[in-house]
Amino acid sequence: MIRLQQRPLLGLLVNPFGKTAKALELNGDLLQITKGRHTRSLLLETVTAAPVVRKGTFGAMLTIAYDSGGDVVLKGAAKADAAAFSETFRNAWICFNRTAFDKDASRFDRIHAGVRALAHPARYPAACQIAPLLNDARALDASLLSKLQPEAIGADAPRRIAIVQQFASDAQTERSKSIAAFVDAELDRWRDFFDTVESQPLTPEQRLSVVVDEDATLVLAGAGSGKTSVITAKAAYLLKAGIREPEEILLLAFAKNAAEEMSERVEARSGVPIVARTFHALAYDIIGIVEGSKPALADHATDDMAFSNLIKQILKDLVHRLSDVSQAIIQFFAHFLVEPKTEWDFKTKHDFYTHMESQDLRTLQGEKVKSYEELQIANWLYENGVEYEYEPIYEHKIPETGRRDYQPDFHLTESGIYIEHFGVRRQKVADGSERLVTAPFVEREPYLAGMEWKRQVHADHETILIETYSYERQEGRLLTGLAEKLAPHVTLKPRPADTIYDQIVELNQVDDFSKLLGTFLRKYKSGGYSLDDCEAKSDRMKLGKRAKAFLDVFAPVFEEYEKRLEGRIDFEDMILRAAHYAETGRYVSPFRHILIDEFQDISQSRARLVKALKAQQPDARIFAVGDDWQSIFRFAGSDIHLMRQFGAEFGGTFDNASGVHRTVDLGRTFRSVDQIAFAARTFVLRNPAQIEKQVIPAGTATEPAINIVAVPRAEDERKLSDVLAALSTGSNTDAKPASVLLLGRYRFNEPRMHELRRRFPQLQISFKTIHASKGLQADHVILLNADSGRIGFPSGIVDDPLLSLVSPEEEAFENAEERRVMYVAMTRAKYTLTLLASHSRPSSFVTELRKDPAYDIAAAPDAEPDVHVCGECGGRLLGVTGKDGRIWYRCEHVQHCGNLLLACPSCGTALPRKAEGMTEVRCGCGASYPSCPDCTDGWLVERKGRYGGFLGCVRYPTCVGKAKIATSKRPTTAKPRRRKRP
């Protein structure tokens, strides 16, 4: 113990108010400071510098700095006493720092060595490897290093401490430098391995993906980019580099044959047998280990057809057994099978008609109707046993009006009642009154006039007309109101539920609904959803009554499905049970590297299992190879959200950041030439939610690689034969036969393969659905039936909004999954891709490829139909050959619009059109005609009437536009022959 104090007389001069210390006393590691009557203590560890002694006029002054930013000052001390105290204090302070440093020397040396090793890492500095080092460095810095004073611990220690502190303060930068150093060195070290591990040397991108070894690594492997080579090389590298033992590596694939191929390739490349497994095989093994035996697997687990049949059987049994459930099922089929959209949801006729054509608006009686509200009425009539005809010709002949034969919407055959459904709603006006308004694209005044005309017809002929209105549906009373209006005239005889259901089966409506139910069920189970979850999400998404009606059916179907498992398990149960065992530690995972193929197909339940396995080992890594552009198995439970949010779902943590992962883009394709590769990339990236990737094509096309062939009605076989004949002619008969892959969106698209193979022996022809073609390639690909419609391509039945209830995020982009299906189809082709599309109803995908210059596709001469805009609805007027051999131009929306024009009477092929600002309609052949005063597309031709000749619209009787014959204005061509419909 040593003490220093002011000399009494000097103290009065230099410290009259007691603001500085009167006395200092060092006792071990504690400095006692006396000011006036108060004493406080200061630890040596807070002192930031050795004491400083200065000679003054009134004695010596000693100053000691400490970490709060202040100084301890004592003035008026004897110089010798101050010097002695300072020396003793300095030695104690140095001793204290060195002792503290020596005490944690081994810990510091270990951390220092770890940080130094980052400059030349022997292993990839993954977050899970470096995070413990960072935590130790920061803990030591906080407890010791930040408190040590450089001048107290010697010359070398501060330099070494600075290295550790630099890492602790900027770990992200230091780890990034370490990663770059490791990757450069490792690529060089394993150059020979990368050159020889596969039949062809790995690309730079493939090599990078192998040596990168983050907590979670996602390899974006586009079509034909060699993903199998990457995952094979990764496994072999881990073994050869001594990073992992065989039992620590888990290879996962989705299909059994893919797992077998992976196992064979890894053993061949590494010399070590590693068995790749499917998710289900792994899960089954885990269950067996934990439970001691494996439970029986449900018969339908491995058979999609059996699964679909089971759902259909459950529906049928519920209809026959439970009245309340049967009512819910019938209600869904009758009123919610299709999206309940009406003309009020669209701005143009063309948009409305296009939507209607994508929906199967088929009533329970079997006829197709023209609107959703008509469908509701028709199905209500059928449910209640009211016999009706849809759009029959009115029983009384209407005097010549220029109109088509009058066809009321419905005729009740037993009572003779007619029903007209009017597309009008009520609107409040400024004075408080109401007026009737029509849909956005319907002219109000002519429509209201048509309503009055129909009322007058029934009044004149004394037939009973019941009217229904769109505003009644809007107000939720369309069907109850109809029941009230019919009550005086009709006795309802409700059909039994099983009778209605048998009719639904007869109409083939159960199959698609069963697939929807099956897809929903699998996603519901694998995602761990509840009915409350689905109902809440339905409210958020405003899916309305259709979602409620669906859940009313799904709930009893799911309950019955679970009962019928009878102790057996399906694949969803299998994965979830295994995940639970891994999460709770009942299964102890040996896996420290999990390699997953086709990662874009992962489901919520599979992801849960992977996360549980990874969580068991602190340094476990996930290496996922996939392509979100090829995620096309939503119906089987795959969830593209998991790949798009890869880091958040599977990544590690480092330096207070979560979701740490690495993404490597393979980019290079070994399959498709540039025109196909770039067009496919552009096409799929129209959806901004897809992960952007670069594409390096396999070669350069020397001639157009993508061809679009327009197929006239009933000429599918002929056009396909023409394409195959051209490919056969160009095939080198001395070499291996060119492979031709015919692709269809559905199995029923398959042509007569035996006949095609017999006719074109020079070609190696095969057929696959697009889904089944994944992973395949061919020299030439022909996409069949690229047409629009509910069972066209894009399919109108795949992306049902109801599936969003069991998906983490909704895919807002229209036809999102179908666009990826199209990408898969395009990228099967190496040299040429041919799309066979209906001349009159081409797929919207084909139209996009044809019209958008971004795709750089040179269409074949017959690929672009002679298209004109329909003046009635905004659709397309397409040329067709009628039964009489003449050319007619018909609106593409033939079921709704019916606009029909005969080709120019002069040339017989082209369509006369009216140019802006002109009063005449002109044809490309030079002929001209007076334009019709009443319609957009028509022109006037000479006709005979009871009062002689006149000019009438070529569209008569659809249009009754007319004019007097002016001698100087006669058409430049002869009057056309009597029109015959095609």
Side-chain angles (χ1 to χ4, degrees):
M1 182 174 70
I2 185 171
R3 181 178 175 86
L4 177 69
Q5 61 184 33
Q6 292 176 337
R7 296 169 66 182
L9 293 176
L10 292 178
L12 291 174
L13 294 173
V14 299
N15 188 21
F17 303 108
K19 291 184 177 180
T20 58
K22 292 176 61 178
L24 299 176
E25 184 175 297
L26 179 63
N27 188 0
D29 295 340
L30 200 65
L31 177 67
Q32 301 283 348
I33 306 166
T34 303
K35 276 188 180 182
R37 297 179 181 178
H38 302 288
T39 300
R40 66 185 180 93
S41 300
L42 188 72
L43 293 171
L44 283 184
E45 68 178 35
T46 65
V47 176
T48 59
V52 175
V53 177
R54 292 186 178 88
K55 182 180 178 182
T57 305
F58 302 102
M61 180 176 72
L62 183 141
T63 303
I64 302 173
Y66 61 98
D67 60 9
S68 66
D71 292 336
V72 175
V73 178
L74 187 146
K75 301 178 181 178
K79 181 180 178 184
D81 293 344
F85 184 89
S86 175
E87 182 65 20
T88 302
F89 188 96
R90 179 177 180 278
N91 291 334
W93 175 65
I94 291 173
C95 181
F96 170 83
N97 276 272
R98 289 183 175 177
T99 300
F101 185 56
D102 291 342
K103 186 177 179 180
D104 274 325
S106 60
R107 182 182 174 195
F108 173 78
D109 289 343
R110 175 177 55 79
I111 295 172
H112 178 263
V115 174
R116 286 291 304 273
L118 291 177
H120 304 284
R123 292 283 181 263
Y124 185 91
C128 62
Q129 294 281 65
I130 309 304
L133 177 66
L134 176 61
N135 292 337
D136 284 351
R138 285 182 172 167
L140 186 62
D141 187 43
S143 66
L144 175 66
L145 302 184
S146 62
K147 298 175 181 178
L148 296 176
Q149 302 306 316
E151 64 177 288
I153 55 177
D156 183 56
R159 179 182 57 77
R160 298 173 68 217
I161 289 173
I163 293 172
V164 173
Q165 288 182 319
Q166 171 62 27
F167 170 66
S169 64
D170 192 7
Q172 297 281 10
T173 299
E174 296 303 311
R175 191 172 84 96
S176 295
K177 291 178 183 176
S178 182
I179 290 172
F182 172 81
V183 169
D184 288 344
E186 198 73 352
L187 289 174
D188 184 62
R189 185 182 303 124
W190 290 87
R191 181 185 296 113
D192 292 342
F193 170 77
F194 293 137
D195 285 343
T196 58
V197 65
E198 287 287 281
S199 58
Q200 295 292 325
L202 298 188
T203 68
E205 299 85 4
Q206 290 174 325
R207 296 170 191 235
L208 177 63
S209 68
V210 171
V211 300
V212 164
D213 204 23
E214 195 52 82
D215 287 29
T217 302
L218 176 63
V219 179
L220 299 175
S225 61
K227 66 178 184 60
T228 307
S229 295
V230 165
I231 206 164
T232 301
K234 180 72 173 185
Y237 165 76
L238 291 173
L239 293 167
K240 285 182 172 293
I243 298 171
R244 295 295 184 227
E245 295 299 321
E247 63 273 13
E248 295 177 319
I249 299 174
L250 173 62
L251 293 174
L252 285 173
F254 283 83
K256 186 177 180 181
N257 58 348
E260 291 171 350
E261 180 191 355
M262 199 185 304
S263 298
E264 293 170 1
R265 289 182 67 163
V266 170
E267 183 172 0
R269 304 307 187 265
S270 67
V272 178
I274 297 182
V275 178
R277 287 182 273 185
T278 65
F279 278 89
H280 295 124
L282 170 67
Y284 216 21
D285 288 344
I286 290 173
I287 293 170
I289 291 170
V290 174
E291 297 182 3
S293 64
K294 296 179 180 179
L297 190 61
D299 295 337
H300 61 266
T302 56
D303 187 339
D304 286 340
M305 183 67 73
F307 177 70
S308 182
N309 288 337
L310 174 61
I311 299 298
K312 285 192 282 187
Q313 188 61 48
I314 288 173
L315 280 171
K316 183 177 180 180
D317 292 346
L318 289 174
V319 167
H320 285 79
R321 196 173 77 232
L322 300 172
S323 60
D324 55 338
V325 176
S326 67
Q327 189 60 31
I329 293 172
I330 299 304
Q331 281 299 299
F332 187 85
F333 276 104
H335 302 290
F336 298 103
L337 191 61
V338 298
E339 285 190 79
K341 288 187 177 181
T342 71
E343 55 267 45
W344 300 88
D345 297 307
F346 301 90
K347 293 182 179 179
T348 68
K349 284 184 181 179
H350 173 56
D351 291 340
F352 174 58
Y353 294 160
T354 300
H355 173 75
M356 288 296 103
E357 287 163 359
S358 71
Q359 304 293 308
D360 187 15
L361 293 181
R362 193 170 300 279
T363 69
L364 294 175
Q365 187 164 283
E367 67 268 314
K368 292 198 75 170
V369 293
K370 294 177 180 175
S371 74
Y372 175 74
E373 290 172 352
E374 286 186 348
L375 180 73
Q376 284 190 293
I377 293 169
N379 285 347
W380 183 88
L381 294 172
Y382 184 86
E383 286 179 90
N384 287 285
V386 180
E387 301 295 334
Y388 71 89
E389 298 175 284
Y390 177 66
E391 291 195 336
I393 295 176
Y394 186 54
E395 63 188 274
H396 298 286
K397 187 68 177 175
I398 308 299
E400 179 63 39
T401 62
R403 294 175 179 266
R404 290 180 180 272
D405 289 335
Y406 173 42
Q407 293 178 270
D409 291 334
F410 300 95
H411 178 227
L412 309 188
T413 55
E414 293 181 358
S415 62
I417 301 292
Y418 289 94
I419 300 175
E420 281 284 9
H421 179 68
F422 294 126
V424 291
R425 290 184 177 178
R426 295 193 282 209
Q427 183 185 71
K428 289 271 189 184
V429 293
D431 62 4
S433 61
E434 290 182 337
R435 68 170 193 154
L436 295 178
V437 293
T438 53
F441 51 79
V442 177
E443 292 185 55
R444 178 176 178 273
E445 296 306 325
Y447 190 88
L448 295 182
M451 291 172 58
E452 289 302 323
W453 180 85
K454 292 174 182 178
R455 290 167 177 158
Q456 191 61 50
V457 166
H458 288 280
D460 291 345
H461 295 87
E462 299 182 344
T463 50
I464 299 175
L465 174 66
I466 299 294
E467 298 181 14
T468 58
Y469 311 96
S470 288
Y471 64 73
E472 291 177 312
R473 176 178 176 268
Q474 188 183 24
E475 296 165 5
R477 57 187 183 88
L478 174 63
L479 300 180
T480 56
L482 176 60
E484 292 170 3
K485 295 168 189 174
L486 288 179
H489 312 285
V490 172
T491 300
L492 303 184
K493 295 173 287 186
R495 287 184 165 91
D498 55 353
T499 300
I500 299 175
Y501 189 77
D502 289 343
Q503 173 71 2
I504 292 168
V505 173
E506 188 71 24
L507 294 172
N508 295 320
Q509 292 185 333
V510 175
D511 288 355
D512 287 340
F513 181 64
S514 296
K515 290 176 183 175
L516 175 62
L517 270 176
T519 301
F520 193 95
L521 188 150
R522 283 174 165 165
K523 291 174 74 68
Y524 179 88
K525 286 191 74 170
S526 69
Y529 291 93
S530 68
L531 287 173
D532 288 342
D533 295 333
C534 295
E535 289 169 359
K537 192 165 187 181
S538 172
D539 292 340
R540 289 197 304 272
M541 295 178 64
K542 296 181 171 55
L543 293 183
K545 293 181 180 179
R546 183 168 184 257
K548 183 181 185 309
F550 177 80
L551 292 174
D552 286 345
V553 176
F554 173 73
V557 167
F558 179 70
E559 183 180 353
E560 184 66 19
Y561 172 83
E562 290 292 289
K563 286 180 183 176
R564 296 195 184 192
L565 286 174
E566 296 177 337
R568 294 168 296 176
I569 60 173
D570 58 18
F571 282 151
E572 285 68 40
D573 289 326
M574 189 184 294
I575 300 289
L576 290 172
R577 193 180 300 185
H580 174 70
Y581 289 152
E583 287 167 344
T584 57
R586 293 184 65 184
Y587 171 75
V588 179
S589 171
F591 306 118
R592 297 168 70 189
H593 256 87
I594 304 171
L595 281 57
I596 309 170
D597 192 17
E598 300 287 5
F599 188 76
Q600 74 279 350
D601 295 335
I602 198 166
S603 63
Q604 284 287 331
S605 57
R606 291 182 178 97
R608 181 179 162 189
L609 175 58
V610 169
K611 291 175 188 177
L613 295 174
K614 180 176 184 287
Q616 286 205 15
Q617 298 286 351
D619 66 341
R621 322 288 171 86
I622 292 176
F623 183 79
V625 182
D627 182 7
D628 71 305
W629 296 359
Q630 297 186 73
S631 178
I632 62 173
F633 290 103
R634 187 184 190 192
F635 64 86
S638 68
D639 193 337
I640 196 171
H641 165 85
L642 293 165
M643 188 166 182
R644 289 178 179 164
Q645 304 297 326
F646 180 77
E649 294 286 347
F650 302 96
T653 58
F654 184 76
D655 193 16
N656 299 318
S658 59
V660 177
H661 68 290
R662 180 78 178 264
T663 299
V664 180
D665 183 357
L666 293 187
R668 196 180 309 269
T669 175
F670 297 97
R671 181 179 300 154
S672 303
V673 293
D674 54 351
Q675 288 184 22
I676 296 173
F678 291 146
R681 178 183 186 274
T682 300
F683 183 83
V684 77
L685 285 179
R686 290 290 190 218
N687 181 354
Q690 301 293 164
I691 302 172
E692 186 161 345
K693 296 187 284 289
Q694 295 303 312
V695 171
I696 303 171
T700 303
T702 57
E703 56 187 33
I706 302 180
N707 300 294
I708 299 173
V709 176
V711 181
R713 187 176 182 181
E715 292 192 24
D716 302 69
E717 289 188 8
R718 183 178 70 82
K719 285 294 186 179
L720 174 58
S721 294
D722 290 346
V723 174
L724 290 172
L727 292 176
S728 182
T729 302
S731 178
N732 185 351
T733 56
D734 296 331
K736 181 181 176 182
S739 56
V740 179
L741 177 59
L742 308 181
L743 291 179
R745 177 60 184 80
Y746 311 94
R747 289 190 181 93
F748 63 73
N749 295 139
E750 182 174 6
R752 294 181 292 181
M753 296 301 296
H754 179 74
E755 175 66 17
L756 293 177
R757 288 169 179 147
R758 183 189 63 80
R759 291 180 56 197
F760 303 102
Q762 303 94 327
L763 302 174
Q764 192 177 46
I765 306 174
S766 60
F767 171 85
K768 293 284 184 182
T769 64
I770 301 173
H771 284 83
S773 75
K774 215 166 149 295
L776 302 179
Q777 65 180 31
D779 296 328
H780 310 284
V781 167
I782 302 173
L783 178 60
L784 309 173
N785 299 95
D787 307 333
S788 60
R790 183 170 175 78
I791 53 173
F793 186 29
S795 169
I797 60 178
V798 169
D799 289 326
D800 196 302
L802 291 170
L803 293 176
S804 298
L805 298 179
V806 283
S807 299
E809 65 175 13
E810 179 185 7
E811 286 208 80
F813 197 78
E814 185 178 14
N815 294 318
E817 176 133 334
E818 288 292 280
R819 184 168 287 266
R820 294 191 291 269
V821 174
M822 181 66 169
Y823 170 81
V824 170
M826 296 173 74
T827 53
R828 299 312 94 196
K830 295 175 70 175
Y831 304 121
T832 71
L833 168 68
T834 303
L835 299 93
L836 299 183
S838 167
H839 179 83
S840 58
R841 297 180 298 102
S843 159
S844 60
F845 289 165
V846 169
T847 301
E848 178 183 330
L849 290 171
R850 178 190 289 145
K851 290 188 174 181
D852 194 329
Y855 296 111
D856 193 25
I857 296 173
D862 65 343
E864 182 68 53
D866 193 4
V867 177
H868 304 280
V869 176
C870 172
E872 297 299 304
C873 73
R876 298 167 301 164
L877 291 172
L878 302 171
V880 295
T881 303
K883 294 179 180 177
D884 57 2
R886 292 189 293 174
I887 301 296
W888 296 77
Y889 283 83
R890 181 176 67 191
C891 180
E892 64 176 312
H893 303 301
V894 62
Q895 294 179 341
H896 301 275
C897 179
N899 193 4
L900 186 68
L901 293 155
L902 182 63
C904 172
S906 179
C907 65
T909 57
L911 180 66
R913 301 298 280 167
K914 181 180 178 180
E916 189 175 351
M918 300 290 291
T919 58
E920 291 185 330
V921 175
R922 299 191 177 216
C923 178
C925 71
S928 63
Y929 309 88
S931 62
C932 176
D934 287 6
C935 71
T936 303
D937 293 325
W939 63 89
L940 301 179
V941 294
E942 287 192 32
R943 297 187 180 278
K944 291 287 186 182
R946 68 177 66 179
Y947 303 111
F950 68 97
L951 294 179
C953 182
V954 72
R955 296 179 62 233
Y956 177 85
T958 300
C959 176
V960 294
K962 62 179 69 175
K964 294 180 180 180
I965 297 177
T967 309
S968 61
K969 292 289 186 181
R970 286 183 180 273
T972 59
T973 184
K975 183 177 73 173
R977 294 175 290 167
R978 183 181 177 186
R979 186 182 71 175
K980 294 182 181 179
R981 291 188 177 278

